[in-house]
Every structure is written in structure tokens, then in C-alpha cells.
């Protein structure tokens, strides 16, 4: 399989499309090509996108957990006999 040569434009495209793992690998390769340092604007862009992705994942996890708790309480598994306050 032929790999793409990392360019700033390609890295930016991967970040914008949400392919953060591949973008990180390309940033590291780009840094190696340039003597150990990737463009700071791309590093900042990647860090911002990664933080947003983590934030979204935390919110999604909490929503799934809340849904499970509500289902369990609706079935009466809580043992308290009282309905969940909504």
C-alpha cells in the first residue's frame, strides 16, 4: 500500500475531517522531515480538535450512562420504590 507524503495541507484536511489519529501520525512524520518540529499552527489545530473530540466522547458516555440508570430505575431495579426525579 502506498502511503501519502505528509504535507501541511493534507494534515489540515485530516484534522478538519476528524481523522485525528492519522493526522497525528502525519504531523509526527512531517516533524521528522523538518528536523523535529511540526508547524505550530497545525499542532495547535490538532490539539484543539483532539480536545473537542474528547469532550464529545465524555458527553456521549455520560448520556449513555444516564440512559442506563433511567432504564434500570424504570424497571424498579433500584429497590427504593420511588421514581427517579426528572
Amino acid at each position: 500500500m502506498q502511503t501519502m507524503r505528509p504535507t501541511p495541507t493534507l494534515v489540515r484536511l485530516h484534522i478538519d475531517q476528524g481523522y485525528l489519529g492519522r493526522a497525528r501520525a502525519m504531523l509526527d512524520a512531517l516533524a521528522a522531515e523538518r528536523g523535529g518540529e511540526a508547524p505550530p499552527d497545525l499542532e495547535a489545530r490538532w490539539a484543539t480538535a483532539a480536545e473537542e473530540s474528547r469532550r464529545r466522547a465524555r458527553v456521549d458516555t455520560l448520556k449513555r450512562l444516564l440512559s442506563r440508570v433511567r432504564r434500570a430505575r424504570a424497571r424498579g431495579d433500584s429497590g427504593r420504590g420511588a421514581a427517579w426525579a426528572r
Side-chain angles (χ1 to χ4, degrees):
M1 180 177 172
Q2 182 180 358
T3 59
M4 293 179 265
R5 182 179 161 271
T7 64
T9 301
L10 194 54
V11 172
R12 191 174 299 110
L13 180 64
H14 276 72
I15 292 169
D16 290 347
Q17 290 180 349
Y19 300 119
L20 299 178
R22 183 68 182 139
R24 179 76 256 164
M26 292 175 109
L27 266 174
D28 293 342
L30 192 61
E33 279 183 8
R34 294 178 176 213
E37 206 169 300
D41 63 317
L42 289 178
E43 286 285 352
R45 188 180 203 126
W46 184 89
T48 301
E51 181 57 36
E52 178 60 31
S53 179
R54 289 185 204 106
R55 188 178 305 116
R56 240 180 289 120
R58 284 191 297 268
V59 169
D60 291 345
T61 300
L62 288 172
K63 284 180 179 179
R64 284 193 307 271
L65 179 60
L66 178 60
S67 176
R68 288 174 57 191
V69 167
R70 285 182 174 165
R71 276 196 309 270
R73 289 189 177 191
R75 284 192 314 261
D77 291 343
S78 68
R80 295 181 188 177
W84 168 270
R86 293 188 177 148

